[in-house]
Amino acid sequence: MLKMTSLRRLVHSRVLLHLSESPGVHSSLPRCARLLSTSSRCRTVMPAWVIDKYGSNEVLRFTKNASFPIINYPNEVIVKVFAAGLSPIDVAMRGGYGAATLSMKRDPLNIKQSGSEFPLVLGRDVSGVIMECGLDVKHFREGDEVWAAIPPWKQGSLAEFVLLSANEVSHKPKCLSHIEAAAIPYVATTAWSALVNTGGLRKDNCANKRILILGGSGGVGTFAVQMVKAWGAHVTVTCSQNAEQFLRGLGADHVVDYTAGPVEEPLSALEKFDLILDNVGGDTESWALKLLKPWSGAKYVTLVTPFMQNTDRLGVADGMMQSAATVASKALKHLMKGVHYRWGFFAPSGCALDEIRDMVDAKQPPWLDVSGDVMASYIYTYTHIQLTPTPKIRPVVEETFSFSQVPQAFEKVEKGHARGKTVVQISKGGDDV
């Protein structure tokens, strides 16, 4: 019996050896392995800028030992970061803005200890290349150039690699470099969420509608102007005098200077509006809703809400209850007057970025020509697309920083006087970064 067992083992080992040396079988092994992983080497750490606590710029720390992202779900992808864009939301998050809400989103069952989000990587915009795909990812392959707006509850783009869900990612516009592409996603998806998801606007229902954008010279405002103008709407914006020419260049039909006096007075003299997008907040809603067409489905959408402050101050449960009570009471109050009151929020969306990418690559509005004189008068925005006589489409990037200059990039954003987007070049790839 012992001899027979030994003989079987010997024959089995020879068969395995023969199979491993067989060309047909050997060539099939890498294909099988690539179903499980597309990374070229096994890594556990990567370089990144992190924070270990909330605070000012001093909390930023560079490390070469940040945890390498791991695919935990079959719909996830790992992106090698070529460029990352910085926004005011990154500065706010560095100081702890929305910590309670974002912690709940990361750990809904409250299993982990307080502070488990650290070390935290910031950066909401990314442009790069797919390095690895989960098993259920069908629309992307290793090596695809992509861009994305990263949700605030996820680790950000100020690292060599970032983990995202496939539905948050879109193929990058072919006509943009990675540095240019990193200037767009977060503000574009925020504008899209406010106008489409909350405001109910679409290409086929926007023609001839009157839209008012309060605070039109910021990043979200400039994208909102361009999108609704491209869809055929009549656009009125408020801004400071030195941004007036710039916004007219983007397609705004009427511009009101808020520095010339109470802005509600000239706005009240105009024909009423179908939708108002409020990027300003404060006491704006005390008079802005009177500018809407009553009993016609008109909407007021504000992106300046107390939701995060409520949860930070009162805790998640009490803060959410307070926010729900606030928005419900205001919505009911204004509904009785024939208008709709809404809160708008950022929502990650690869589908929205697909639409924006198609507009960029097609060289169509809302990406309009802006002269140098207009840009000289422009004070504060994240990005816009410029159509030059060649024609070439590109976003205006205010300044590009190297990976070692992340603290300086944060200082630039914190000052709030940029003429374009602040972008950090993480790594070089191809010939466009």
Side-chain angles (χ1 to χ4, degrees), residues 24-328:
V25 174
H26 180 73
S27 62
S28 67
L29 289 177
R31 289 196 296 270
C32 180
R34 287 177 69 84
L35 290 175
L36 302 177
S37 173
T38 59
S39 57
S40 58
R41 55 177 175 163
C42 181
R43 296 183 57 175
T44 58
V45 295
M46 64 176 178
W49 282 91
V50 302
I51 61 172
D52 301 303
K53 61 181 180 180
Y54 298 118
S56 58
N57 226 29
E58 288 72 25
V59 301
L60 290 167
R61 174 176 66 89
F62 178 75
T63 178
K64 293 183 178 180
N65 298 311
S67 296
F68 193 89
I70 299 172
I71 290 179
N72 296 309
Y73 300 96
N75 68 326
E76 291 180 330
V77 297
I78 296 177
V79 176
K80 179 175 176 60
V81 182
F82 284 177
L86 291 184
S87 303
I89 183 67
D90 296 300
V91 176
M93 287 180 61
R94 185 198 63 191
Y97 172 75
T101 306
L102 299 178
S103 293
M104 179 197 67
K105 184 68 176 177
R106 298 183 188 107
D107 182 23
L109 299 179
N110 198 25
I111 298 174
K112 301 177 182 178
Q113 294 181 347
S114 177
S116 60
E117 69 267 29
F118 300 118
L120 180 63
V121 181
L122 300 172
R124 298 302 106 200
D125 298 275
V126 61
S127 182
V129 170
I130 296 285
M131 190 199 80
E132 187 168 351
C133 296
L135 294 177
D136 286 350
V137 176
K138 306 300 182 184
H139 300 293
F140 300 99
R141 296 181 179 179
E142 178 185 357
D144 285 357
E145 293 188 326
V146 296
W147 62 347
I150 304 173
W153 54 87
K154 292 190 175 183
Q155 295 284 33
S157 56
L158 292 176
E160 189 177 5
F161 298 92
V162 64
L163 179 70
L164 292 165
S165 297
N167 58 5
E168 297 163 351
V169 179
S170 169
H171 287 99
K172 178 182 74 69
K174 295 179 181 179
C175 63
L176 298 184
S177 70
H178 286 291
I179 287 178
E180 292 168 329
I184 296 174
Y186 192 82
V187 294
T189 49
T190 302
W192 185 278
S193 175
L195 294 170
V196 178
N197 300 346
T198 308
L201 297 182
R202 301 184 304 274
K203 287 182 182 180
D204 57 357
N205 72 354
C206 204
N208 300 318
K209 284 193 175 181
R210 290 182 54 80
I211 311 296
L212 171 61
I213 298 174
L214 301 172
S217 60
V220 175
T222 55
F223 262 91
V225 169
Q226 296 174 92
M227 275 198 282
V228 295
K229 187 60 183 176
W231 292 347
H234 181 282
V235 185
T236 300
V237 297
T238 65
C239 65
S240 60
Q241 184 180 10
N242 48 28
E244 179 177 348
Q245 231 182 337
F246 168 74
L247 287 168
R248 289 191 184 278
L250 292 181
D253 298 287
H254 192 85
V255 179
V256 178
D257 178 13
Y258 65 76
T259 63
V263 71
E264 58 266 33
E265 294 181 5
L267 289 175
S268 298
L270 302 176
E271 183 182 343
K272 292 189 181 296
F273 298 94
D274 297 287
L275 184 139
I276 296 175
L277 177 62
D278 185 3
N279 301 298
V280 177
D283 64 347
T284 303
E285 64 184 57
S286 65
W287 51 263
L289 283 102
K290 300 174 184 176
L291 304 176
L292 291 169
K293 298 176 181 178
W295 308 109
S296 62
K299 296 182 179 69
Y300 169 89
V301 180
T302 178
L303 288 168
V304 186
T305 74
F307 180 80
M308 291 290 199
Q309 290 92 334
N310 285 343
T311 54
D312 288 343
R313 179 173 55 91
L314 302 174
V316 174
D318 290 343
M320 291 181 70
M321 290 181 63
Q322 177 67 50
S323 297
T326 300
V327 70

Side-chain angles (χ1 to χ4, degrees), residues 363 367-371 384-396:
K363 300 180 176 63
W367 324 109
L368 305 173
D369 177 53
V370 179
S371 68
H384 75 281
I385 305 296
Q386 183 177 14
L387 180 59
T388 59
T390 32
K392 175 180 171 57
I393 297 177
R394 66 177 181 86
V396 173

